[in-house]
Amino acid sequence: MRHLLGIEGWRRDELEALLDKAQAHLPGKPDTTHILRGKVVANLFFEDSTRTRTSFHMAAKGLGASVMNWTQSGSSVSKGETLLDTARNIEATGPVAIVMRHKSSGAPHLVAKHVRCAVINAGDGTHEHPSQALLDAFTLRQRWGALDGRTVLIVGDLLHSRVARSNLLCLKALGARVVMCGPPTLIPPGLESLGAEVTHNLDAVLPQADAVMCLRLQLERQSENFLPSIREFSRLFGLNPAREERMKPEAVVMHPGPINRGVEISPAVADGPRSVILEQVSNGVAVRRAILEVCAS
Ligand code: NCD
């Protein structure tokens, strides 16, 4: 049993072993329903999710497990039960893993200290989203074989993005160069100390990138006036067809979803030939099966 609370704490060889394992979980590979047959996986989502929740659900089913689903509104959390009481009660029903998403950074780490089953972080506040970083790395490895020496450019709302932080840690661990770009007000302190190169000039760095990962502008967290206007953000940091022409011919475009079409990425780019956005989603199921196999079987 092992927790996946973040990319932090996982060594390169461990990350690579997990990504290698995910190969065996791609569609068309031999049946894997023996791995967690008769076991239960608890999905505990206290924040909205389309891709991640469904993907973990399908991953657990693909390993033969049954899935219990909890959301904030349908559970006793809405009656005032604490997170720890909820988690301990869920654990008492006997799952091998709790997959959890929570608006507070560090919530899964707290739960992991108090339960015996594996805890898998499906996104905690603005902190980490390790399964997303792993499926992104898997998608790039499928294209490139290895990430060594490749440049990944991560653009947009870096301040609020747990995807950006986990990707920085994961991509650096796997040997890539990571350049992060956004308006000064949406760049958190400390990215350089984690190995990123930081810039505000998207047009200058675009030609260097082997992959451009656009991040959603987290509109629900813009009440503090981080930006003069969405239109200006889009003009300076949006990936549009004119900018796409500055990219290397074989460079790919990524986005973790959900997309704000026309804000951080134009529909023509999101749906265009460079986009691997739906490959990311498909690979997510295989990678999450490997995560559940490594952590909970
Ligand atoms: C992201 C998330 O929830 O952190 N989405 C996802 O899991 N694919 C990114 C976002 O909300 O912008």
Side-chain angles (χ1 to χ4, degrees):
M1 190 277 286
R2 183 166 184 187
H3 303 305
L4 177 65
L5 300 173
I7 297 296
E8 194 179 1
W10 284 62
R11 294 191 316 264
R12 177 178 186 153
D13 59 314
E14 294 170 329
L15 296 169
E16 283 178 339
L18 194 150
L19 294 174
D20 289 342
K21 228 180 231 305
Q23 293 289 343
H25 291 293
L26 286 169
K29 292 288 158 76
D31 185 75
T32 52
T33 51
H34 58 281
I35 295 177
L36 289 181
R37 183 169 300 135
K39 304 281 171 46
V40 175
V41 171
N43 253 354
L44 196 57
F45 276 69
F46 292 152
E47 250 193 359
D48 292 347
S49 172
T50 302
R51 277 151 290 269
T52 308
R53 180 150 54 106
T54 318
S55 186
F56 269 114
H57 189 117
M58 290 179 65
K61 288 289 206 190
L63 299 180
S66 340
V67 185
M68 297 190 289
N69 282 298
W70 278 271
T71 54
Q72 174 136 357
S73 61
S75 71
S76 290
V77 176
S78 63
K79 299 182 185 171
E81 186 170 66
T82 68
L83 173 63
L84 277 187
D85 280 336
T86 302
R88 283 203 195 95
N89 278 273
I90 286 172
E91 196 208 11
T93 66
V96 286
I98 294 178
V99 178
M100 71 174 281
R101 170 171 284 195
H102 199 280
K103 66 176 187 309
S104 302
S105 300
H109 305 66
L110 177 69
V111 168
K113 286 201 183 104
H114 293 88
V115 297
R116 285 178 305 279
C117 65
V119 176
I120 294 165
N121 181 2
D124 64 323
T126 57
H127 181 222
E128 279 226 44
H129 191 350
S131 65
Q132 180 69 42
L134 285 162
L135 72 89
D136 292 337
F138 183 87
T139 303
L140 293 175
R141 270 176 35 135
Q142 253 182 352
R143 294 259 152 176
W144 302 337
L147 273 62
D148 296 279
R150 298 285 187 163
T151 297
V152 180
L153 172 60
I154 306 181
V155 192
D157 186 351
L158 300 160
L159 181 66
H160 299 112
S161 179
R162 52 197 177 205
V163 174
R165 188 185 179 82
S166 286
N167 259 295
L168 171 57
L169 297 171
C170 190
L171 293 165
K172 288 299 291 182
L174 297 175
R177 171 181 173 227
V178 180
V179 182
M180 303 184 100
C181 178
T185 49
L186 291 180
I187 296 194
L191 291 180
E192 279 106 340
S193 65
L194 296 174
E197 294 167 44
V198 175
T199 175
H200 311 302
N201 189 341
L202 179 56
D203 289 321
V205 288
L206 265 178
Q208 301 170 20
D210 296 296
V212 179
M213 183 184 296
C214 299
L215 299 172
R216 183 174 69 90
L217 181 63
Q218 303 210 0
L219 295 164
E220 72 274 28
R221 301 190 226 253
Q222 300 300 329
S223 53
E224 293 173 47
N225 294 325
F226 290 107
L227 296 169
S229 80
I230 307 261
R231 189 184 300 184
E232 187 189 82
F233 170 84
S234 191
R235 193 169 51 76
L236 293 172
F237 299 100
L239 194 59
N240 54 33
R243 288 220 161 88
E244 196 184 359
E245 290 193 5
R246 302 178 68 85
M247 291 171 60
K248 290 183 187 175
E250 70 289 0
V252 297
V253 170
M254 312 176 82
H255 194 304
I259 293 174
N260 290 313
R261 287 179 174 264
V263 179
E264 69 271 358
I265 189 166
S266 305
V269 181
D271 304 329
R274 292 174 183 278
S275 171
V276 296
I277 294 172
L278 292 177
E279 279 171 48
Q280 292 172 261
V281 179
S282 304
N283 288 334
V285 179
V287 170
R288 289 177 172 119
R289 279 197 203 178
I291 290 170
L292 288 169
E293 184 182 5
V294 168
C295 293
S297 73

